[in-house]
Each structure stands twice: as C-alpha cells, then as structure tokens.
Amino acid sequence: MRVAVIGAGLGGLCLAQGLRKAGIDVEVFERDPGVRARFQGYRIGLADVGREALLACLPDRLHPLLDAVTGDLHGRRVFHDTQLRQLRELEPMTAIAVDRHVLRHLLLDGIDVRFGKRFTGYRGTRAEFADGTHVDADLIVGADGITSAVRGRLAPDLRPSDTGVRCVVGRTTLTPEFESLVPGFGTGVSDGAVQLMLGLMRFRRPPREAGLEFGVELPDTPDYVRWVLLPAPDVPVKAVEGWHPRVRALVEAADPAHSAALSIRVVRPERRWAPGRVTLLGDAIHATSPSGGNGANMALYDARLLRDLLVEKAVPEAVEEYETQMLAYGAQAVEHSVAVLDQFLPERAGPRS
C-alpha cells in the first residue's frame, strides 16, 4: 500500500508518522518551498485525545522528547480591568501546552517530505502537481488546511465560512515581569471594547537542547507569553494605550515575526462526497474556531483513526469507516467551537462588577 499525503501540517505529519510506524509506504507533499518558509503558529492546548494520537503514531523513542517539549497549564483563570484589578475568577483548569512550530519539527523527523509541490488535481489516485510531476498511490489524503486544494476538487461545494471575528495573535518572550501577568491557567484583560487574552508557553526543557539529545533538530524557541487581542486593532500597541504599564510593555515587546492578524473561519463538513480513494483530514474538512481548543486535537485524532483503519482493513473499507466517523465528530467539533466563540468577545468577557 502506498499513501500520498498532501500537506505537511500537524495532521498530515502525524498520519505519516503513524503509517511509517505501521510499515506502510507514505510520502508527504507540501506546497511551501521549505520547512522554514513561513511561521507555523503558536501555543496550542494538547487534550488527551491529541496526546494519545501522537503517542500512538510517533516512534516510541520520541515519546520522551514529546514530553520534554510540552508544558503544564494549570490553575486559576482570572479576568482584570485595564489596571489589573481583578473582576472575577473562573474555575481552575489543567491541560498540556505545546508550541505548534516545535511540534511540527518533531513530527518531521524521519518523514520524506517533498517541498515545493503545489497540488493541482488528481486523476483516479494519481496526484498531480504544478511543476508537471505526479505520483501514483493507493490513497490520496488531503491534509492541506482550510484552503485545501484537495477539498476544492473532491468536494467543491464545501467552502470556508467567515465568522466575522478578527484578532491579532502575538508572542512575547517570557520574563519575570510578564510571567506575573499569568499566575495560573490564563488571564483576560478588557476595557469592555477590547479583550486581551494571555497564556504561557513554558517548556519543560528548551526544545533545541532536548532535540539534540534525541538527534532531532528542533527550533530554538524560548518560553513565551502568547496573547490574543479581540477584535483585531490596526495597531495593537495603540489598542492598549492607558492600560497597566506591564500590559503595554508586553504588547510593545512582541516579536513582529511571530505576530499576525487573523480572520476566524470554519469549514463545516455538511455533505459527504462520493466515496473513493481520496479523503480529507483536519482543517481541510472540519476547520474550527480556535475558541473551541479542538482544531489541532481533531486533526491528530483523524490521523490516528485513519492509520488504525488502514492497518486493519482494505483501503475502500477503511476510508468508508473513517469518513463516517470523522464527519460526525468533526461537525460536532466545529459547532462547539462556534458556540463558545462569543465567550471570548469583549462584550461577553469584558469588565463586570
């Protein structure tokens, strides 16, 4: 069996690792010219379902490395006014944090990725690329994100829908001054019109140092504060003028290369396409709002489920069962993420007496 994975994001690479672990021939094709061609994202929360998928798909030797480059999230969730006077506190939470960029590099270890390969279409199970090349496989998996070219051919009626929400996401290197802003699981600061959400990414070990021990090249990413401004201001620093000096300093010290304005869009898997030997995974078919905390976790779970079924069944039967399950839980994940989105908007999460 040979599987062609289109897209080298977390889900596609997790699938590739799992197939490789199971002895199945797999090759990954990525439109970016290289692994460092663009910034690949921020801290995400790793739920049990995502962590278990990673452990199932990664080689056993990399399990300690995965543990080393994650971090603990636990404790209070507090909301402040702009002068850091506490307004209210939510129940404590516990989770695992992982940096998307670091995790992607870990997942690349040992995987044959063909960069600079822009997918243009398929004929049967022959995947075609813009450079005139093609590859024949027993299964094509579109793991190429919310703008998926594979979905565009397989299910052209399924398009991203815009929630209308815009935000700015930033990353600021962690210092003792900024660490005090997030004493627990997370912190919110709001003036009623603008909401600033803060969370820590504190690695158990520095990624590059830990990677060297396992022979894996990982980015030299420092501990940091991930922050999100809602709605997206034109100039983030101006949006927090007059706020507490530590908050202003945090936004001012952000790394420009790791800050970006984002539009929040979703893909709802409302209709199934004709069954065959082309399928979809992750954001390519059930892109969620980040407010749900389940986008990356669902992509990783997709990868594990599809890998397990391909090991157990012939391709047509494996794909049939995978799509039946994936479309059901994927639709639920998208609707949950949209339903909780307004809890993060200023008018809902802002100052209250």
Side-chain angles (χ1 to χ4, degrees):
M1 183 192 305
R2 188 182 193 194
V3 178
V5 177
I6 311 301
L10 299 186
L13 290 173
C14 185
L15 174 62
Q17 287 284 359
L19 293 173
R20 181 170 176 261
K21 188 175 183 178
I24 296 174
D25 186 17
V26 58
E27 196 168 12
V28 181
F29 300 86
E30 169 58 49
R31 62 183 172 232
D32 285 347
V35 64
R36 300 182 185 276
R38 58 189 173 90
F39 181 60
Q40 292 292 324
Y42 304 85
R43 187 207 76 174
I44 56 176
L46 192 61
D48 288 345
V49 67
R51 182 175 182 274
E52 290 167 4
L54 285 168
L55 294 176
C57 292
L58 281 169
D60 292 350
R61 71 176 185 86
L62 294 182
H63 291 185
L65 179 57
L66 175 65
D67 184 66
V69 298
T70 56
D72 297 312
L73 295 171
H74 57 83
R76 305 160 59 209
R77 294 179 292 157
V78 295
F79 284 85
H80 299 290
D81 67 13
T82 61
Q83 301 308 312
L84 297 183
R85 294 182 290 256
Q86 183 171 324
L87 298 168
R88 69 187 189 282
E89 182 174 338
L90 304 181
E91 291 183 0
M93 289 183 64
T94 300
I96 296 172
V98 62
D99 179 80
R100 184 185 293 268
H101 190 53
V102 170
L103 179 58
R104 183 170 184 249
H105 277 258
L106 192 159
L107 286 166
L108 280 163
D109 184 64
I111 299 300
D112 182 13
V113 179
R114 301 293 181 90
F115 287 99
K117 290 289 188 178
R118 184 170 65 83
F119 174 87
T120 55
Y122 60 86
R123 299 180 187 181
T125 53
R126 170 172 287 184
E128 300 174 334
F129 303 95
D131 60 4
T133 61
H134 65 265
V135 62
D136 294 308
D138 298 291
L139 175 65
I140 298 172
V141 181
D144 48 342
I146 193 169
T147 60
S148 172
V150 180
R151 187 189 68 241
R153 293 295 304 274
L154 180 63
D157 291 340
L158 295 180
R159 299 185 179 92
S161 58
D162 195 338
T163 65
V165 177
R166 304 289 182 268
C167 65
V168 171
V169 184
R171 189 175 92 181
T172 302
T173 299
L174 188 62
T175 66
E177 175 190 16
F178 299 145
E179 186 173 18
S180 64
L181 291 170
V182 194
F185 188 91
T187 299
V189 185
S190 180
D191 63 2
V194 175
Q195 174 89 356
L196 177 66
M197 304 297 296
L198 307 174
L200 297 183
M201 181 65 247
R202 187 190 289 110
F203 300 99
R204 294 191 178 105
R205 290 183 59 189
R208 174 163 290 181
E209 172 191 296
L212 289 174
E213 184 177 319
F214 289 84
V216 179
E217 184 179 353
L218 295 181
D220 188 18
T221 304
D223 294 346
Y224 62 86
V225 180
R226 187 214 60 189
W227 52 265
V228 182
L229 270 171
L230 288 161
D234 292 333
V235 182
V237 174
K238 289 186 177 180
V240 296
E241 281 183 347
W243 291 28
H244 192 282
R246 267 185 295 160
V247 176
R248 296 200 311 272
L250 174 82
V251 177
E252 290 171 354
D255 179 355
H258 299 131
S259 300
L262 304 176
S263 61
I264 297 179
R265 298 178 294 163
V266 299
V267 174
R268 291 179 168 89
E270 298 169 343
R271 295 171 298 280
R272 189 175 181 186
W273 48 90
R277 290 176 176 258
V278 180
T279 193
L280 299 167
L281 177 155
D283 282 357
I285 182 57
H286 49 64
T288 66
S289 160
S291 56
N294 52 14
N297 287 291
M298 288 297 95
L300 297 171
Y301 182 73
D302 287 351
R304 179 187 184 180
L305 175 62
L306 181 55
R307 188 285 305 264
D308 289 350
L309 290 169
L310 288 171
V311 170
E312 297 170 3
K313 302 173 182 291
V315 171
E317 290 77 16
V319 171
E320 171 78 20
E321 185 168 339
Y322 163 72
E323 291 179 352
T324 299
Q325 293 189 42
M326 178 271 292
L327 290 170
Y329 67 69
Q332 292 178 353
V334 174
E335 295 313 315
H336 168 74
S337 76
V338 173
V340 301
L341 178 58
D342 69 343
Q343 298 177 16
F344 294 86
L345 300 178
E347 60 269 21
R348 289 293 304 274
R352 300 175 187 172
S353 60

PDB file of all heavy atoms in Angstrom, residues 304-332:
ATOM      1  N   ARG A 304      -4.717   9.375  13.646  1.00  0.00           N
ATOM      2  CA  ARG A 304      -4.644   8.071  14.323  1.00  0.00           C
ATOM      3  C   ARG A 304      -5.749   7.142  13.840  1.00  0.00           C
ATOM      4  O   ARG A 304      -5.513   5.956  13.577  1.00  0.00           O
ATOM      5  CB  ARG A 304      -4.740   8.263  15.831  1.00  0.00           C
ATOM      6  CG  ARG A 304      -4.684   6.935  16.580  1.00  0.00           C
ATOM      7  CD  ARG A 304      -4.941   7.078  18.047  1.00  0.00           C
ATOM      8  NE  ARG A 304      -4.785   5.794  18.721  1.00  0.00           N
ATOM      9  CZ  ARG A 304      -4.949   5.616  20.024  1.00  0.00           C
ATOM     10  NH1 ARG A 304      -5.276   6.647  20.799  1.00  0.00           N
ATOM     11  NH2 ARG A 304      -4.790   4.416  20.567  1.00  0.00           N
ATOM     12  N   LEU A 305      -6.970   7.667  13.739  1.00  0.00           N
ATOM     13  CA  LEU A 305      -8.096   6.834  13.314  1.00  0.00           C
ATOM     14  C   LEU A 305      -7.866   6.268  11.924  1.00  0.00           C
ATOM     15  O   LEU A 305      -8.052   5.063  11.685  1.00  0.00           O
ATOM     16  CB  LEU A 305      -9.380   7.660  13.343  1.00  0.00           C
ATOM     17  CG  LEU A 305     -10.638   6.977  12.810  1.00  0.00           C
ATOM     18  CD1 LEU A 305     -10.993   5.754  13.645  1.00  0.00           C
ATOM     19  CD2 LEU A 305     -11.806   7.968  12.765  1.00  0.00           C
ATOM     20  N   LEU A 306      -7.467   7.126  10.982  1.00  0.00           N
ATOM     21  CA  LEU A 306      -7.253   6.666   9.616  1.00  0.00           C
ATOM     22  C   LEU A 306      -6.118   5.654   9.564  1.00  0.00           C
ATOM     23  O   LEU A 306      -6.221   4.627   8.869  1.00  0.00           O
ATOM     24  CB  LEU A 306      -6.962   7.854   8.700  1.00  0.00           C
ATOM     25  CG  LEU A 306      -6.747   7.535   7.224  1.00  0.00           C
ATOM     26  CD1 LEU A 306      -7.922   6.762   6.635  1.00  0.00           C
ATOM     27  CD2 LEU A 306      -6.514   8.829   6.428  1.00  0.00           C
ATOM     28  N   ARG A 307      -5.035   5.911  10.296  1.00  0.00           N
ATOM     29  CA  ARG A 307      -3.921   4.949  10.324  1.00  0.00           C
ATOM     30  C   ARG A 307      -4.396   3.593  10.845  1.00  0.00           C
ATOM     31  O   ARG A 307      -4.121   2.545  10.244  1.00  0.00           O
ATOM     32  CB  ARG A 307      -2.803   5.492  11.217  1.00  0.00           C
ATOM     33  CG  ARG A 307      -1.474   4.686  11.207  1.00  0.00           C
ATOM     34  CD  ARG A 307      -1.488   3.383  11.970  1.00  0.00           C
ATOM     35  NE  ARG A 307      -1.896   3.519  13.351  1.00  0.00           N
ATOM     36  CZ  ARG A 307      -1.060   3.628  14.371  1.00  0.00           C
ATOM     37  NH1 ARG A 307       0.233   3.605  14.161  1.00  0.00           N
ATOM     38  NH2 ARG A 307      -1.524   3.697  15.620  1.00  0.00           N
ATOM     39  N   ASP A 308      -5.122   3.601  11.961  1.00  0.00           N
ATOM     40  CA  ASP A 308      -5.567   2.337  12.547  1.00  0.00           C
ATOM     41  C   ASP A 308      -6.456   1.550  11.580  1.00  0.00           C
ATOM     42  O   ASP A 308      -6.326   0.327  11.448  1.00  0.00           O
ATOM     43  CB  ASP A 308      -6.343   2.604  13.839  1.00  0.00           C
ATOM     44  CG  ASP A 308      -5.442   3.075  14.977  1.00  0.00           C
ATOM     45  OD1 ASP A 308      -4.199   3.012  14.821  1.00  0.00           O
ATOM     46  OD2 ASP A 308      -5.977   3.496  16.014  1.00  0.00           O
ATOM     47  N   LEU A 309      -7.351   2.250  10.895  1.00  0.00           N
ATOM     48  CA  LEU A 309      -8.257   1.570   9.969  1.00  0.00           C
ATOM     49  C   LEU A 309      -7.527   1.034   8.746  1.00  0.00           C
ATOM     50  O   LEU A 309      -7.857  -0.044   8.234  1.00  0.00           O
ATOM     51  CB  LEU A 309      -9.381   2.527   9.551  1.00  0.00           C
ATOM     52  CG  LEU A 309     -10.384   2.858  10.667  1.00  0.00           C
ATOM     53  CD1 LEU A 309     -11.286   4.015  10.250  1.00  0.00           C
ATOM     54  CD2 LEU A 309     -11.219   1.625  11.021  1.00  0.00           C
ATOM     55  N   LEU A 310      -6.515   1.775   8.273  1.00  0.00           N
ATOM     56  CA  LEU A 310      -5.738   1.295   7.121  1.00  0.00           C
ATOM     57  C   LEU A 310      -4.916   0.062   7.477  1.00  0.00           C
ATOM     58  O   LEU A 310      -4.633  -0.780   6.611  1.00  0.00           O
ATOM     59  CB  LEU A 310      -4.827   2.406   6.605  1.00  0.00           C
ATOM     60  CG  LEU A 310      -5.532   3.548   5.867  1.00  0.00           C
ATOM     61  CD1 LEU A 310      -4.566   4.692   5.601  1.00  0.00           C
ATOM     62  CD2 LEU A 310      -6.156   3.066   4.559  1.00  0.00           C
ATOM     63  N   VAL A 311      -4.538  -0.048   8.728  1.00  0.00           N
ATOM     64  CA  VAL A 311      -3.825  -1.243   9.178  1.00  0.00           C
ATOM     65  C   VAL A 311      -4.763  -2.442   9.230  1.00  0.00           C
ATOM     66  O   VAL A 311      -4.374  -3.576   8.899  1.00  0.00           O
ATOM     67  CB  VAL A 311      -3.194  -0.993  10.566  1.00  0.00           C
ATOM     68  CG1 VAL A 311      -2.663  -2.294  11.171  1.00  0.00           C
ATOM     69  CG2 VAL A 311      -2.061   0.021  10.458  1.00  0.00           C
ATOM     70  N   GLU A 312      -6.028  -2.196   9.608  1.00  0.00           N
ATOM     71  CA  GLU A 312      -6.982  -3.283   9.843  1.00  0.00           C
ATOM     72  C   GLU A 312      -7.737  -3.723   8.595  1.00  0.00           C
ATOM     73  O   GLU A 312      -8.128  -4.887   8.489  1.00  0.00           O
ATOM     74  CB  GLU A 312      -8.010  -2.837  10.886  1.00  0.00           C
ATOM     75  CG  GLU A 312      -7.421  -2.540  12.253  1.00  0.00           C
ATOM     76  CD  GLU A 312      -8.438  -1.873  13.168  1.00  0.00           C
ATOM     77  OE1 GLU A 312      -9.601  -1.706  12.739  1.00  0.00           O
ATOM     78  OE2 GLU A 312      -8.069  -1.517  14.299  1.00  0.00           O
ATOM     79  N   LYS A 313      -7.979  -2.795   7.653  1.00  0.00           N
ATOM     80  CA  LYS A 313      -8.909  -3.063   6.559  1.00  0.00           C
ATOM     81  C   LYS A 313      -8.297  -2.714   5.207  1.00  0.00           C
ATOM     82  O   LYS A 313      -7.298  -2.009   5.130  1.00  0.00           O
ATOM     83  CB  LYS A 313     -10.192  -2.240   6.749  1.00  0.00           C
ATOM     84  CG  LYS A 313     -10.930  -2.487   8.068  1.00  0.00           C
ATOM     85  CD  LYS A 313     -12.088  -1.507   8.214  1.00  0.00           C
ATOM     86  CE  LYS A 313     -12.812  -1.695   9.547  1.00  0.00           C
ATOM     87  NZ  LYS A 313     -13.561  -2.976   9.587  1.00  0.00           N
ATOM     88  N   ALA A 314      -8.938  -3.183   4.157  1.00  0.00           N
ATOM     89  CA  ALA A 314      -8.577  -2.756   2.807  1.00  0.00           C
ATOM     90  C   ALA A 314      -8.923  -1.278   2.649  1.00  0.00           C
ATOM     91  O   ALA A 314      -9.784  -0.749   3.362  1.00  0.00           O
ATOM     92  CB  ALA A 314      -9.328  -3.589   1.777  1.00  0.00           C
ATOM     93  N   VAL A 315      -8.269  -0.609   1.691  1.00  0.00           N
ATOM     94  CA  VAL A 315      -8.420   0.843   1.557  1.00  0.00           C
ATOM     95  C   VAL A 315      -9.871   1.291   1.441  1.00  0.00           C
ATOM     96  O   VAL A 315     -10.306   2.186   2.174  1.00  0.00           O
ATOM     97  CB  VAL A 315      -7.577   1.372   0.374  1.00  0.00           C
ATOM     98  CG1 VAL A 315      -7.899   2.845   0.099  1.00  0.00           C
ATOM     99  CG2 VAL A 315      -6.094   1.210   0.676  1.00  0.00           C
ATOM    100  N   PRO A 316     -10.689   0.722   0.541  1.00  0.00           N
ATOM    101  CA  PRO A 316     -12.063   1.237   0.421  1.00  0.00           C
ATOM    102  C   PRO A 316     -12.860   1.136   1.719  1.00  0.00           C
ATOM    103  O   PRO A 316     -13.573   2.072   2.103  1.00  0.00           O
ATOM    104  CB  PRO A 316     -12.665   0.354  -0.677  1.00  0.00           C
ATOM    105  CG  PRO A 316     -11.491  -0.138  -1.458  1.00  0.00           C
ATOM    106  CD  PRO A 316     -10.406  -0.326  -0.452  1.00  0.00           C
ATOM    107  N   GLU A 317     -12.749   0.006   2.413  1.00  0.00           N
ATOM    108  CA  GLU A 317     -13.477  -0.169   3.666  1.00  0.00           C
ATOM    109  C   GLU A 317     -12.935   0.744   4.753  1.00  0.00           C
ATOM    110  O   GLU A 317     -13.698   1.313   5.554  1.00  0.00           O
ATOM    111  CB  GLU A 317     -13.392  -1.631   4.123  1.00  0.00           C
ATOM    112  CG  GLU A 317     -14.167  -2.601   3.275  1.00  0.00           C
ATOM    113  CD  GLU A 317     -13.465  -2.933   1.966  1.00  0.00           C
ATOM    114  OE1 GLU A 317     -12.258  -2.657   1.839  1.00  0.00           O
ATOM    115  OE2 GLU A 317     -14.146  -3.465   1.047  1.00  0.00           O
ATOM    116  N   ALA A 318     -11.618   0.919   4.800  1.00  0.00           N
ATOM    117  CA  ALA A 318     -11.008   1.794   5.804  1.00  0.00           C
ATOM    118  C   ALA A 318     -11.457   3.234   5.605  1.00  0.00           C
ATOM    119  O   ALA A 318     -11.818   3.925   6.574  1.00  0.00           O
ATOM    120  CB  ALA A 318      -9.488   1.694   5.726  1.00  0.00           C
ATOM    121  N   VAL A 319     -11.459   3.707   4.365  1.00  0.00           N
ATOM    122  CA  VAL A 319     -11.853   5.078   4.080  1.00  0.00           C
ATOM    123  C   VAL A 319     -13.343   5.279   4.380  1.00  0.00           C
ATOM    124  O   VAL A 319     -13.748   6.307   4.933  1.00  0.00           O
ATOM    125  CB  VAL A 319     -11.540   5.446   2.617  1.00  0.00           C
ATOM    126  CG1 VAL A 319     -12.132   6.794   2.248  1.00  0.00           C
ATOM    127  CG2 VAL A 319     -10.025   5.456   2.399  1.00  0.00           C
ATOM    128  N   GLU A 320     -14.160   4.304   4.035  1.00  0.00           N
ATOM    129  CA  GLU A 320     -15.605   4.390   4.307  1.00  0.00           C
ATOM    130  C   GLU A 320     -15.858   4.567   5.803  1.00  0.00           C
ATOM    131  O   GLU A 320     -16.631   5.442   6.217  1.00  0.00           O
ATOM    132  CB  GLU A 320     -16.291   3.120   3.795  1.00  0.00           C
ATOM    133  CG  GLU A 320     -17.749   2.981   4.190  1.00  0.00           C
ATOM    134  CD  GLU A 320     -18.683   3.831   3.361  1.00  0.00           C
ATOM    135  OE1 GLU A 320     -18.281   4.247   2.249  1.00  0.00           O
ATOM    136  OE2 GLU A 320     -19.810   4.091   3.829  1.00  0.00           O
ATOM    137  N   GLU A 321     -15.233   3.739   6.621  1.00  0.00           N
ATOM    138  CA  GLU A 321     -15.462   3.835   8.064  1.00  0.00           C
ATOM    139  C   GLU A 321     -14.857   5.110   8.633  1.00  0.00           C
ATOM    140  O   GLU A 321     -15.453   5.769   9.490  1.00  0.00           O
ATOM    141  CB  GLU A 321     -14.881   2.617   8.780  1.00  0.00           C
ATOM    142  CG  GLU A 321     -15.202   2.603  10.269  1.00  0.00           C
ATOM    143  CD  GLU A 321     -14.899   1.275  10.931  1.00  0.00           C
ATOM    144  OE1 GLU A 321     -14.827   0.243  10.214  1.00  0.00           O
ATOM    145  OE2 GLU A 321     -14.735   1.271  12.160  1.00  0.00           O
ATOM    146  N   TYR A 322     -13.678   5.465   8.166  1.00  0.00           N
ATOM    147  CA  TYR A 322     -13.033   6.698   8.632  1.00  0.00           C
ATOM    148  C   TYR A 322     -13.922   7.909   8.366  1.00  0.00           C
ATOM    149  O   TYR A 322     -14.170   8.726   9.256  1.00  0.00           O
ATOM    150  CB  TYR A 322     -11.682   6.869   7.942  1.00  0.00           C
ATOM    151  CG  TYR A 322     -11.127   8.280   8.038  1.00  0.00           C
ATOM    152  CD1 TYR A 322     -10.636   8.780   9.241  1.00  0.00           C
ATOM    153  CD2 TYR A 322     -11.113   9.115   6.916  1.00  0.00           C
ATOM    154  CE1 TYR A 322     -10.144  10.082   9.334  1.00  0.00           C
ATOM    155  CE2 TYR A 322     -10.625  10.405   7.003  1.00  0.00           C
ATOM    156  CZ  TYR A 322     -10.142  10.879   8.211  1.00  0.00           C
ATOM    157  OH  TYR A 322      -9.668  12.165   8.292  1.00  0.00           O
ATOM    158  N   GLU A 323     -14.419   8.042   7.149  1.00  0.00           N
ATOM    159  CA  GLU A 323     -15.224   9.214   6.805  1.00  0.00           C
ATOM    160  C   GLU A 323     -16.536   9.241   7.577  1.00  0.00           C
ATOM    161  O   GLU A 323     -17.005  10.315   7.988  1.00  0.00           O
ATOM    162  CB  GLU A 323     -15.467   9.251   5.295  1.00  0.00           C
ATOM    163  CG  GLU A 323     -14.205   9.557   4.502  1.00  0.00           C
ATOM    164  CD  GLU A 323     -14.407   9.569   2.999  1.00  0.00           C
ATOM    165  OE1 GLU A 323     -15.517   9.190   2.549  1.00  0.00           O
ATOM    166  OE2 GLU A 323     -13.466   9.928   2.275  1.00  0.00           O
ATOM    167  N   THR A 324     -17.122   8.093   7.788  1.00  0.00           N
ATOM    168  CA  THR A 324     -18.372   8.044   8.547  1.00  0.00           C
ATOM    169  C   THR A 324     -18.164   8.591   9.954  1.00  0.00           C
ATOM    170  O   THR A 324     -18.952   9.413  10.449  1.00  0.00           O
ATOM    171  CB  THR A 324     -18.899   6.600   8.619  1.00  0.00           C
ATOM    172  OG1 THR A 324     -19.162   6.136   7.289  1.00  0.00           O
ATOM    173  CG2 THR A 324     -20.172   6.533   9.441  1.00  0.00           C
ATOM    174  N   GLN A 325     -17.107   8.147  10.622  1.00  0.00           N
ATOM    175  CA  GLN A 325     -16.831   8.618  11.981  1.00  0.00           C
ATOM    176  C   GLN A 325     -16.347  10.071  11.980  1.00  0.00           C
ATOM    177  O   GLN A 325     -16.822  10.899  12.763  1.00  0.00           O
ATOM    178  CB  GLN A 325     -15.774   7.732  12.643  1.00  0.00           C
ATOM    179  CG  GLN A 325     -16.214   6.315  12.911  1.00  0.00           C
ATOM    180  CD  GLN A 325     -15.197   5.564  13.749  1.00  0.00           C
ATOM    181  OE1 GLN A 325     -14.631   6.084  14.710  1.00  0.00           O
ATOM    182  NE2 GLN A 325     -14.955   4.305  13.379  1.00  0.00           N
ATOM    183  N   MET A 326     -15.404  10.378  11.111  1.00  0.00           N
ATOM    184  CA  MET A 326     -14.776  11.697  11.100  1.00  0.00           C
ATOM    185  C   MET A 326     -15.766  12.811  10.799  1.00  0.00           C
ATOM    186  O   MET A 326     -15.739  13.881  11.437  1.00  0.00           O
ATOM    187  CB  MET A 326     -13.632  11.706  10.091  1.00  0.00           C
ATOM    188  CG  MET A 326     -12.908  13.036   9.937  1.00  0.00           C
ATOM    189  SD  MET A 326     -13.676  14.106   8.665  1.00  0.00           S
ATOM    190  CE  MET A 326     -13.324  13.190   7.176  1.00  0.00           C
ATOM    191  N   LEU A 327     -16.654  12.602   9.850  1.00  0.00           N
ATOM    192  CA  LEU A 327     -17.608  13.650   9.500  1.00  0.00           C
ATOM    193  C   LEU A 327     -18.568  13.933  10.651  1.00  0.00           C
ATOM    194  O   LEU A 327     -18.986  15.076  10.853  1.00  0.00           O
ATOM    195  CB  LEU A 327     -18.375  13.260   8.239  1.00  0.00           C
ATOM    196  CG  LEU A 327     -17.544  13.263   6.953  1.00  0.00           C
ATOM    197  CD1 LEU A 327     -18.331  12.642   5.810  1.00  0.00           C
ATOM    198  CD2 LEU A 327     -17.083  14.663   6.585  1.00  0.00           C
ATOM    199  N   ALA A 328     -18.892  12.912  11.436  1.00  0.00           N
ATOM    200  CA  ALA A 328     -19.810  13.097  12.568  1.00  0.00           C
ATOM    201  C   ALA A 328     -19.137  13.884  13.690  1.00  0.00           C
ATOM    202  O   ALA A 328     -19.647  14.920  14.137  1.00  0.00           O
ATOM    203  CB  ALA A 328     -20.305  11.745  13.065  1.00  0.00           C
ATOM    204  N   TYR A 329     -17.970  13.417  14.159  1.00  0.00           N
ATOM    205  CA  TYR A 329     -17.340  14.139  15.271  1.00  0.00           C
ATOM    206  C   TYR A 329     -16.741  15.463  14.806  1.00  0.00           C
ATOM    207  O   TYR A 329     -16.644  16.415  15.574  1.00  0.00           O
ATOM    208  CB  TYR A 329     -16.330  13.272  16.016  1.00  0.00           C
ATOM    209  CG  TYR A 329     -15.076  12.865  15.262  1.00  0.00           C
ATOM    210  CD1 TYR A 329     -14.087  13.774  14.906  1.00  0.00           C
ATOM    211  CD2 TYR A 329     -14.855  11.525  14.958  1.00  0.00           C
ATOM    212  CE1 TYR A 329     -12.934  13.379  14.252  1.00  0.00           C
ATOM    213  CE2 TYR A 329     -13.708  11.115  14.299  1.00  0.00           C
ATOM    214  CZ  TYR A 329     -12.742  12.046  13.950  1.00  0.00           C
ATOM    215  OH  TYR A 329     -11.594  11.653  13.293  1.00  0.00           O
ATOM    216  N   GLY A 330     -16.347  15.542  13.537  1.00  0.00           N
ATOM    217  CA  GLY A 330     -15.818  16.801  13.021  1.00  0.00           C
ATOM    218  C   GLY A 330     -16.865  17.888  13.006  1.00  0.00           C
ATOM    219  O   GLY A 330     -16.602  19.036  13.368  1.00  0.00           O
ATOM    220  N   ALA A 331     -18.078  17.551  12.593  1.00  0.00           N
ATOM    221  CA  ALA A 331     -19.169  18.531  12.591  1.00  0.00           C
ATOM    222  C   ALA A 331     -19.476  19.004  14.001  1.00  0.00           C
ATOM    223  O   ALA A 331     -19.705  20.198  14.236  1.00  0.00           O
ATOM    224  CB  ALA A 331     -20.410  17.912  11.958  1.00  0.00           C
ATOM    225  N   GLN A 332     -19.466  18.092  14.965  1.00  0.00           N
ATOM    226  CA  GLN A 332     -19.700  18.470  16.354  1.00  0.00           C
ATOM    227  C   GLN A 332     -18.614  19.415  16.863  1.00  0.00           C
ATOM    228  O   GLN A 332     -18.900  20.385  17.577  1.00  0.00           O
ATOM    229  CB  GLN A 332     -19.764  17.222  17.232  1.00  0.00           C
ATOM    230  CG  GLN A 332     -20.979  16.353  16.979  1.00  0.00           C
ATOM    231  CD  GLN A 332     -20.974  15.093  17.831  1.00  0.00           C
ATOM    232  OE1 GLN A 332     -20.008  14.799  18.523  1.00  0.00           O
ATOM    233  NE2 GLN A 332     -22.071  14.341  17.772  1.00  0.00           N
TER     234      GLN A 332
END
